[in-house]
Amino acid sequence: MKKEKNKSRNRLKKSDIIQQIITFFNEADTRGYNYKQVSFAVGARTENQKHLVYEILESLKDDNYLLEIAPGKYKLNRRKTSRIIGTFERRSNGKNHVIVEESGESIFIAERNALRAMNGDKVKVLIYAKRKNRDLEGEVIEIIEKAPQIFIGTLEIQKHVAFLLTDNKILGNDIFIPKEKLKGGKSGDKAIVQIIDWPDRARNPYGEVVEILGSAGENDTEMHAILAEFGLPYRYPQAVEKAADKISDAIPAEEIRKREDFRDITTFTIDPKDAKDFDDALSVRRLPGGLWEVGVHIADVTHYVKPGSIIDKEAARRATSIYLVDRVIPMLPERLCNQICSLRPHEEKLCYSAIFELNDNAEVQASRIGRTVIKSNRRFTYEEAQEVIETQQGDYKDEILILNDLAKKLRAKRFAAGAINFDRHEVKFEIDEKGKPVNVYFKVSKEANKLIEEFMLLANRTVAETIGKVSKKSTPKTFVYRVHDLPDPEKMNNLATFIRRFGYNLKTEGNKNEVSRSINSLLDKVQGKREENLIETVAIRSMAKASYSTVNIGHYGLAFDFYTHFTSPIRRYPDMMVHRLLARYAEGGRSVNEKSLENECKHSSDMELTAASAERASIKYKQVEFLSERLGEEYDGVISGVTEWGLYVEINENKCEGMVPIRDLENDYYEFDEKNYCLIGRRTRKIYRLGDPIRIQVARANLEKKQLDFALVE
């Protein structure tokens, strides 16, 4: 036994010794210690190790991390330590961080210094003295507020013990579950588990089953698991559905008399073929003076959903509908979103509308916003409307063709004003009756899609201008804006550097119109090229994210000074907020409380990002599932990411992404060149660079981790 201990001491690495010395001084009292005392404390026994300890102490002194209080005696420079409050972010690899509340700065927390803090916990941290050229490091000294700890995973039940094998990368330990806390769960079941305790001496946290989702691998189980992982609902509360069932779909005559009547004007909807919630319709007619009247009619959800009601509270909490690969998790109960509010053909419906008078050049001569009643003549799918545009034949061809002509002119003006043309292909799956992906295809935006898009943009912009655009002497009333900030200059410079290796240039300085025109030029040039998807992805990541706010900074990507979301109240809560504000201000109401509205905006922005993450996770799951049936097959791809642990490769024909682990590059020892996004072979000098074409074979597919491993085909 003693021999084994001596062997392990002889194997001490320099990095381990440094970390142990840092821990020793942070836990030590204020007196000084010489290198022999420190060597004994950290287990350095050999002469070489003791000499290394001395060198490290001198180095830490040079970093001003330690003070030499007498010749050869060192103590911690506590003048350089401080205490902060922040939020703990746990990682399964032990590389945890605390995000400081005030500054947003990140502090590294090693697992041994984490005090068993969990993801989201509010903690007090002692920040260690800063070492030269090193990240800030600290230790948790108090857990101020515990966050609920919910994990998703697969149950493994043995004779005497049960565990949850977690799916995510937050917790490195399985969760021990006492048998009486299993709620009937069986081995192989996917479950939601809450951590209830983590005793000091226990290796694993203790948990209890909150809910059994079903058998792992079944489609519904896995989709529900993805939603639960992001804290999103996968069913509607019965009390809310019952409240919706009590809402009458009859429209009283007195309500119709209050509204502008569009029931006899040609009106139709254009939506995806699988849509059930039609929240916008267009009407069009020629006015006596030769102008075109175009009505953008939006479902009047707030007529039925009253502020503070049980339905409204649930919608506000959800903030958005969620679109997974094979299903929609609606913001509103089905009776409202698919029936009462949905602008179904040949049914009288209540709307909030933006009405425009345009000349033949698509110049708006007049506009008004108000409540209306409509009766849609026809429900078009995008494919049906596109066929009318291409053949110039079919139902309501005159109306569709004039709307398309006006939309193209509006679009041209928008791009001339500096809008950016991000028009990416969406990955879609054909799913069989069991939820299995049988084919991958790309949703391409055609003229029919762009027709709807332009009139929705026009309505959203006009509504925002109605409230926000006031004389210099007036203060605009508090409102919900959809804002998009200017790109970060550093990210734009990085993008410009990245695309140069493909032979493209990008203007990163000048006014915002010049920069946006340069971005559009780049996006045009990459169309149809093998690097198209990669460059578009990197370009999008260089942009700021759009969000909701009461502070209007304009929308850079659309080149609008004023913009909001008004056109989708069935699936977005901010649109409901906008409808209510419009009605309030139209009746002469006072400006609402800005701080309260800003909090609602932030919640909606956060939920939008969470929903998008869940959507991406469902796509990733289906990609892994799709390729799990194609192990051993070869594909052409492009290197979409380079890291120290391997190459990410995106397959050209289906956009599925997997990784070639660096351990599988066996012909050489490869080093990661972070600056140039590449791996370089030490002996062969072979280079694998971001954007390079590459051929791969599907090697492994791990559905639980949503992970694909590829092997290179030389």
Side-chain angles (χ1 to χ4, degrees):
M1 194 74 181
K2 194 172 181 183
K3 210 171 188 180
E4 282 299 314
K5 280 187 179 178
N6 287 338
K7 273 186 184 177
S8 66
R9 279 172 185 158
N10 289 337
R11 287 198 297 267
L12 277 174
K13 295 178 184 175
K14 181 177 180 180
S15 58
D16 294 334
I17 295 176
I18 292 171
Q19 203 54 62
Q20 287 181 47
I21 290 172
I22 288 170
T23 302
F24 169 76
F25 276 103
N26 277 292
E27 293 174 353
D29 54 34
T30 54
R31 63 195 176 94
Y33 296 86
N34 62 33
Y35 86 94
K36 289 182 180 179
Q37 292 168 312
V38 176
S39 295
F40 181 80
V42 301
R45 298 291 183 265
T46 69
E47 287 305 312
N48 283 342
Q49 287 172 347
K50 290 176 185 177
H51 183 70
L52 185 57
V53 167
Y54 176 75
E55 287 181 353
I56 292 168
L57 291 172
E58 283 294 299
S59 174
L60 292 173
K61 182 189 76 172
D62 291 342
D63 284 354
N64 206 18
Y65 183 82
L66 297 178
L67 297 174
E68 191 172 16
I69 55 172
K73 278 203 166 187
Y74 307 88
K75 76 168 189 175
L76 184 68
N77 182 1
R78 292 196 179 272
R79 285 174 298 175
K80 297 195 73 181
T81 62
S82 59
R83 288 169 169 77
I84 56 94
I85 305 271
T87 303
F88 193 84
E89 290 189 352
R90 174 169 281 283
R91 291 291 175 268
S92 61
N93 59 8
K95 294 182 178 180
N96 311 310
H97 285 82
V98 166
I99 306 302
V100 183
E101 272 187 353
E102 293 175 2
S103 65
E105 195 171 17
S106 179
I107 313 295
F108 172 71
I109 309 288
E111 184 60 37
R112 66 184 170 280
N113 297 323
L115 205 66
R116 293 283 167 85
M118 297 297 289
N119 208 51
D121 285 355
K122 190 175 183 180
V123 296
K124 184 182 285 185
V125 171
L126 172 70
I127 301 179
Y128 295 163
K130 177 84 165 67
R131 295 173 62 201
K132 195 183 291 182
N133 301 321
R134 298 296 181 107
D135 293 335
L136 272 177
E137 186 174 349
E139 66 174 295
V140 176
I141 54 176
E142 182 185 349
I143 297 172
I144 298 170
E145 190 178 312
K146 295 287 290 179
Q149 296 302 322
I150 302 291
F151 291 88
I152 318 300
T154 305
L155 292 175
E156 185 178 285
I157 303 172
Q158 298 164 9
K159 189 175 181 181
H160 300 295
V161 294
F163 289 94
L164 183 85
L165 313 181
T166 58
D167 288 351
N168 64 29
K169 298 174 182 175
I170 291 174
L171 190 65
N173 313 62
D174 299 330
I175 300 171
F176 171 73
I177 303 169
K179 289 281 183 89
E180 67 274 13
K181 303 284 188 183
L182 278 169
K183 273 200 175 176
K186 307 181 295 295
S187 263
D189 280 351
K190 269 272 164 81
I192 303 174
V193 166
Q194 180 170 8
I195 289 179
I196 50 178
D197 190 20
W198 194 344
D200 286 344
R201 297 195 175 190
R203 184 179 170 216
N204 301 82
Y206 287 32
E208 63 180 355
V209 172
V210 175
E211 188 170 350
I212 301 295
L213 296 170
S215 298
E218 289 183 359
N219 186 61
D220 280 355
T221 299
E222 297 300 340
M223 292 300 109
H224 289 167
I226 285 169
L227 291 165
E229 178 188 343
F230 290 96
L232 296 169
Y234 47 89
R235 65 167 69 95
Y236 228 90
Q238 284 189 348
V240 182
E241 288 191 327
K242 284 179 181 176
D245 289 340
K246 292 176 183 175
I247 297 175
S248 171
D249 59 358
I251 303 174
E254 62 266 26
E255 183 60 41
I256 289 177
R257 284 194 293 271
K258 294 177 190 174
R259 296 170 176 259
E260 191 171 352
D261 194 339
F262 277 79
R263 288 175 295 178
D264 293 329
I265 299 169
T266 301
T267 304
F268 45 78
T269 60
I270 305 177
D271 290 281
K273 58 186 173 186
D274 56 352
K276 295 175 183 174
D277 52 344
F278 314 137
D279 52 13
D280 58 80
L282 294 177
S283 68
V284 61
R285 64 174 170 175
R286 190 73 145 170
L287 296 176
L291 296 175
W292 293 104
E293 181 192 76
V294 177
V296 180
H297 306 289
I298 308 302
D300 192 355
V301 174
T302 55
H303 173 80
Y304 299 100
V305 181
K306 302 304 179 188
S309 66
I310 187 172
I311 299 173
D312 183 55
K313 286 177 180 175
E314 182 66 20
R317 186 174 69 83
R318 293 176 177 233
T320 180
S321 293
I322 305 152
Y323 294 83
L324 301 187
V325 163
D326 66 336
R327 69 194 64 200
V328 179
I329 315 301
M331 181 180 77
L332 295 168
E334 189 176 334
R335 176 165 167 77
L336 281 170
C337 64
N338 292 352
Q339 296 175 44
I340 293 177
C341 295
S342 186
L343 307 183
R344 305 192 297 189
H346 315 300
E347 296 179 12
E348 293 182 350
K349 296 290 180 180
L350 301 180
C351 289
Y352 219 136
S353 304
I355 317 298
F356 301 95
E357 294 178 15
L358 301 101
N359 63 21
D360 289 336
N361 292 321
E363 294 163 340
V364 178
Q365 306 300 299
S367 65
R368 62 189 185 278
I369 299 163
R371 285 187 146 129
T372 60
V373 58
I374 70 162
K375 189 175 183 180
S376 173
N377 300 89
R378 171 91 148 74
R379 184 256 160 134
F380 284 95
T381 65
Y382 280 120
E383 291 79 5
E384 289 169 339
Q386 186 63 30
E387 189 176 349
V388 172
I389 290 168
E390 290 176 4
T391 65
Q392 302 195 1
Q393 298 295 321
D395 294 348
Y396 303 103
K397 71 176 179 67
D398 292 338
E399 289 84 355
I400 286 178
L401 291 172
I402 187 59
L403 285 172
N404 190 49
D405 180 64
L406 292 170
K408 286 196 286 189
K409 289 169 180 172
L410 287 169
R411 188 174 174 82
K413 287 178 194 168
R414 191 160 57 83
F415 289 132
I420 297 173
N421 185 18
F422 281 120
D423 197 9
R424 301 199 69 211
H425 303 328
E426 288 183 56
V427 177
K428 296 285 183 181
F429 291 88
E430 283 181 23
I431 307 284
D432 68 15
E433 65 280 357
K434 292 183 179 178
K436 211 169 186 64
V438 293
N439 189 30
V440 183
Y441 65 96
F442 305 111
K443 179 182 166 186
V444 181
S445 184
K446 295 187 176 180
E447 282 182 282
N449 305 77
K450 292 169 183 174
L451 183 163
I452 293 297
E453 179 186 28
E454 285 309 318
F455 283 107
M456 297 308 118
L457 292 174
L458 178 63
N460 286 332
R461 185 184 74 184
T462 304
V463 166
E465 288 175 345
T466 300
I467 304 301
K469 208 171 182 178
V470 296
S471 65
K472 289 183 180 179
K473 294 178 182 176
S474 304
T475 302
K477 291 183 175 177
T478 304
F479 199 57
V480 175
Y481 295 98
R482 180 70 170 174
V483 298
H484 185 224
D485 207 348
L486 298 172
D488 178 80
E490 186 179 346
K491 287 184 178 179
M492 289 300 290
N493 286 328
N494 290 341
L495 173 62
T497 302
F498 169 65
I499 64 171
R500 271 190 214 111
R501 66 170 54 100
F502 297 95
Y504 303 109
N505 290 310
L506 181 68
K507 187 178 179 65
T508 60
E509 294 179 353
N511 64 47
K512 62 182 182 181
N513 277 9
E514 290 172 337
V515 173
S516 59
R517 274 198 292 271
S518 182
I519 294 171
N520 281 336
S521 174
L522 169 67
L523 297 173
D524 285 341
K525 287 173 183 173
V526 300
Q527 290 295 309
K529 305 283 176 60
R530 61 177 171 79
E531 64 268 16
E532 175 187 355
N533 199 57
L534 177 64
I535 287 180
E536 284 190 351
T537 301
V538 176
I540 287 170
R541 288 173 185 165
S542 303
M543 297 287 122
K545 282 186 169 60
S547 61
Y548 299 103
S549 179
T550 56
V551 181
N552 181 38
I553 59 169
H555 196 295
Y556 173 75
L558 295 172
F560 290 160
D561 291 331
F562 298 87
Y563 191 64
T564 190
H565 273 170
F566 162 80
T567 53
S568 294
I570 288 177
R571 62 184 180 89
R572 292 188 305 227
Y573 195 75
D575 301 56
M576 288 176 60
M577 292 157 63
V578 164
H579 283 214
R580 286 176 179 152
L581 291 169
L582 280 173
R584 177 191 179 101
Y585 296 154
E587 292 166 4
R590 295 176 61 186
S591 189
V592 298
N593 181 275
E594 185 176 341
K595 186 177 180 182
S596 174
L597 192 63
E598 183 63 31
N599 288 337
E600 290 183 75
C601 287
K602 185 180 185 309
H603 171 69
S604 292
S605 298
D606 291 343
M607 291 304 292
E608 177 186 30
L609 291 175
T610 303
S613 296
E615 181 182 353
R616 283 194 298 272
S618 78
I619 291 170
K620 185 67 181 177
Y621 184 87
K622 289 300 171 191
Q623 287 177 332
V624 176
E625 190 178 10
F626 180 71
L627 286 183
S628 67
E629 302 280 318
R630 291 157 178 81
L631 294 178
E633 293 190 13
E634 295 182 8
Y635 296 92
D636 288 319
V638 63
I639 296 176
S640 55
V642 183
T643 69
E644 59 192 315
W645 53 87
L647 303 169
Y648 286 96
V649 177
E650 183 183 81
I651 295 173
N652 294 340
E653 73 176 64
N654 54 38
K655 300 294 182 254
C656 295
E657 188 180 59
M659 190 178 76
V660 179
I662 199 165
R663 65 177 180 272
D664 291 351
L665 300 174
E666 295 174 344
N667 65 334
D668 201 349
Y669 179 84
Y670 284 87
E671 294 175 328
F672 176 46
D673 182 344
E674 187 175 6
K675 188 177 178 183
N676 294 300
Y677 304 97
C678 65
L679 290 178
I680 304 172
R682 185 181 285 177
R683 178 177 53 81
T684 61
R685 307 311 294 169
K686 167 78 175 169
I687 297 176
Y688 292 106
R689 186 178 278 113
L690 191 67
D692 282 352
I694 200 164
R695 189 161 179 83
I696 57 90
Q697 182 183 59
V698 182
R700 292 174 290 275
N702 187 323
L703 275 168
E704 286 186 359
K705 293 183 178 178
K706 304 182 191 71
Q707 188 173 301
L708 287 166
D709 279 357
F710 296 154
L712 289 186
V713 177
E714 295 297 343

